[in-house]
Amino acid sequence: MSRPTAIFRKLEGVKGYLIDLDGVVYSSGKPIAGAVETVHWLRSAEIPHKFVTNTSVMSRQSLVNKMNAMGFEVDQSDLITAASAAAKYLREQGDVSAYLLAYEDVRKDFTGINLETTDPDYVVIGSRDDGYGYEHLRRAFRYLYQGAKFIAIHKNRTWMRPDGLTMGVGAYVSMLQYAANVETIIIGKPSREFFELALKDLNLSPTEVAMIGDDLESDVLGAQRMGMKGIFAASGKYKRSDCAKLDIKPDVIIDDISDIRKAGSHH
Ligand SMILES: [Mg+2]
């Protein structure tokens, strides 16, 4: 049995895909080999799919621009980002204010929410690989200590920069949560609410969907806990050997996303 056929068999019943971005469709600012063709194939074959990302280094529109510069041809409706989901969550809470620890560009996702206050209802933390600056962390801690609620756009442990693996926002989330002794609302993958939002957008039930990701915990295990299939793409920050180390068993392991096209078009 050829490999594409084996992958195809394991994905029987799958009607649509949730696809992670960093480490699956691009890495270090460049598309991953075969990813552009695979995304075009998904669209032309009318296979439902959404891109779901915890990336909080840029706004959703900036991500669309970045992907289109690489040739993916996507629009905002194709993307569900943890930052835009966090903003949606805040808007649903009514007229609330927030102190946002994130890159400047991400503020665009939070239009309509008061981010200029010294008495915020929420502290929201996203990625900043320069470490936010201690003064900002201290401010966030004081707001939390005074009773602001704590939202983490995600709690990833790591992410891959061109110069190597880097600490993700997760460590900072734990630090603030510990210091202020508060609970954290985690918005992005692998939270149930985030996946539910994505499934609703796809209009499919969990058993009909496979999640393709390079993060074994947030993507693969997160999807499996929802009843979806978890496809591990070994094209990003985790290696095949990490599956055993973390005791996570992906339903399917692929070298990269082009294996999905090979499996699907082979049939
Ligand atoms: Mg990723």
Side-chain angles (χ1 to χ4, degrees), residues 2-8 11 17 33-34 37-38 41 254-267:
S2 69
R3 229 178 135 256
T5 308
I7 293 171
F8 183 82
L11 293 175
Y17 293 94
E37 294 81 353
T38 304
W41 169 74
I254 56 176
D255 292 328
D256 57 53
I257 192 173
S258 71
D259 283 344
I260 297 300
R261 180 171 62 89
K262 289 172 200 154
S265 42
H266 176 89
H267 180 65

Side-chain angles (χ1 to χ4, degrees), residues 84-123:
S84 59
K88 185 168 182 270
Y89 176 89
L90 285 176
R91 289 188 196 102
E92 284 167 1
Q93 309 311 308
D95 186 18
V96 296
S97 60
Y99 181 60
L100 179 63
L101 285 165
Y103 281 113
E104 204 53 39
D105 185 53
V106 175
R107 299 174 92 81
K108 290 178 197 156
D109 285 330
F110 288 79
T111 47
I113 296 159
N114 177 12
L115 301 176
E116 310 299 333
T117 171
T118 52
D119 185 22
D121 301 306
Y122 288 85
V123 168

Side-chain angles (χ1 to χ4, degrees), residues 10-185:
K10 286 180 190 161
L11 293 175
E12 215 184 316
V14 169
K15 293 183 182 155
Y17 293 94
L18 295 178
I19 307 167
D20 177 43
L21 290 180
D22 207 354
V24 175
V25 304
Y26 58 70
S27 183
S28 300
K30 291 191 197 78
I32 283 173
V36 171
E37 294 81 353
T38 304
V39 169
H40 289 177
W41 169 74
L42 284 167
R43 190 178 305 120
S44 61
E46 294 180 7
I47 297 168
H49 61 282
K50 293 280 172 190
F51 299 96
V52 286
T53 179
N54 276 359
T55 301
S56 53
V57 294
M58 56 179 94
S59 64
R60 183 155 65 160
Q61 185 55 56
S62 298
L63 271 173
V64 166
N65 298 345
K66 173 180 167 162
M67 289 179 74
N68 288 343
M70 296 179 195
F72 285 104
E73 298 170 32
V74 294
D75 61 50
Q76 284 212 35
S77 68
D78 296 316
L79 261 73
I80 305 166
T81 74
S84 59
K88 185 168 182 270
Y89 176 89
L90 285 176
R91 289 188 196 102
E92 284 167 1
Q93 309 311 308
D95 186 18
V96 296
S97 60
Y99 181 60
L100 179 63
L101 285 165
Y103 281 113
E104 204 53 39
D105 185 53
V106 175
R107 299 174 92 81
K108 290 178 197 156
D109 285 330
F110 288 79
T111 47
I113 296 159
N114 177 12
L115 301 176
E116 310 299 333
T117 171
T118 52
D119 185 22
D121 301 306
Y122 288 85
V123 168
V124 180
I125 186 168
S127 305
R128 261 201 97 122
D129 66 334
D130 58 3
Y132 311 94
Y134 188 74
E135 192 47 47
H136 291 114
L137 288 168
R138 182 160 49 207
R139 264 180 80 176
F141 159 72
R142 286 179 181 165
Y143 293 146
L144 292 171
Y145 202 80
Q146 287 163 20
K149 294 192 182 83
F150 192 28
I151 289 183
I153 291 179
H154 62 85
K155 203 183 173 185
N156 283 16
R157 293 180 200 274
T158 60
W159 70 284
M160 188 60 89
R161 263 169 51 123
D163 63 351
L165 204 60
T166 302
M167 275 194 291
V169 64
Y172 294 94
V173 173
S174 293
M175 182 178 84
L176 286 167
Q177 178 177 325
Y178 179 76
N181 197 14
V182 291
E183 298 288 312
T184 311
I185 302 160

Side-chain angles (χ1 to χ4, degrees), residues 174-207:
S174 293
M175 182 178 84
L176 286 167
Q177 178 177 325
Y178 179 76
N181 197 14
V182 291
E183 298 288 312
T184 311
I185 302 160
I186 299 166
I187 300 289
K189 296 175 289 185
S191 88
R192 175 161 283 274
E193 293 77 12
F194 188 77
F195 282 126
E196 276 169 357
L197 190 74
L199 286 166
K200 206 172 138 199
D201 253 29
L202 273 183
N203 203 18
L204 291 173
S205 64
T207 53

